[in-house]
Amino acid sequence: MTDELERQLLEALRAQAEREERLAAVLINLEKRLAANDQTTVTIEQAMEILGCGRSKVFDLIKGGQLRKVKVGLHSHVTMDSIHSLQGVVPRRRST
């Protein structure tokens, strides 16, 4: 194999590895979002991941009334309904 061909192959393999890493990150994020959709509330950290923003922004949204915070024991959680409303998503009806 020539040096040029080896170099091209190495570049192609690196590019493929980068694409696979990005795809894996997207899949992990999607799995987290799907898991969160099955919950009534999520932690502040989960809300940050779902909304793609930082802790300060989540608390700004809570303070502004765009997200609803509830206490679960000693911990603050955000309701999924308020996250869905902020995202413009119609929440699913839960079967009883």
Side-chain angles (χ1 to χ4, degrees), residues 20-83:
E20 288 175 4
E21 283 180 26
R22 287 193 303 267
L23 181 58
V26 168
L27 288 174
I28 289 169
N29 190 22
L30 181 58
E31 288 173 347
K32 288 178 182 177
R33 286 179 183 218
L34 289 173
N37 281 339
D38 291 337
Q39 298 173 349
T40 304
T41 65
V42 294
T43 64
I44 298 297
E45 290 75 18
Q46 289 171 317
M48 291 164 47
E49 288 183 30
I50 293 167
L51 296 171
C53 63
R55 184 178 210 79
S56 296
K57 181 64 176 177
V58 170
F59 281 105
D60 287 345
L61 292 167
I62 290 168
K63 185 177 180 181
Q66 294 164 296
L67 288 177
R68 183 166 176 250
K69 179 181 82 166
V70 295
K71 287 296 228 179
V72 178
L74 298 174
H75 303 281
S76 295
H77 283 226
V78 175
T79 66
M80 281 305 297
D81 287 343
S82 68
I83 290 174

Side-chain angles (χ1 to χ4, degrees), residues 13 18 21 24:
L13 289 172
E18 288 175 12
E21 283 180 26

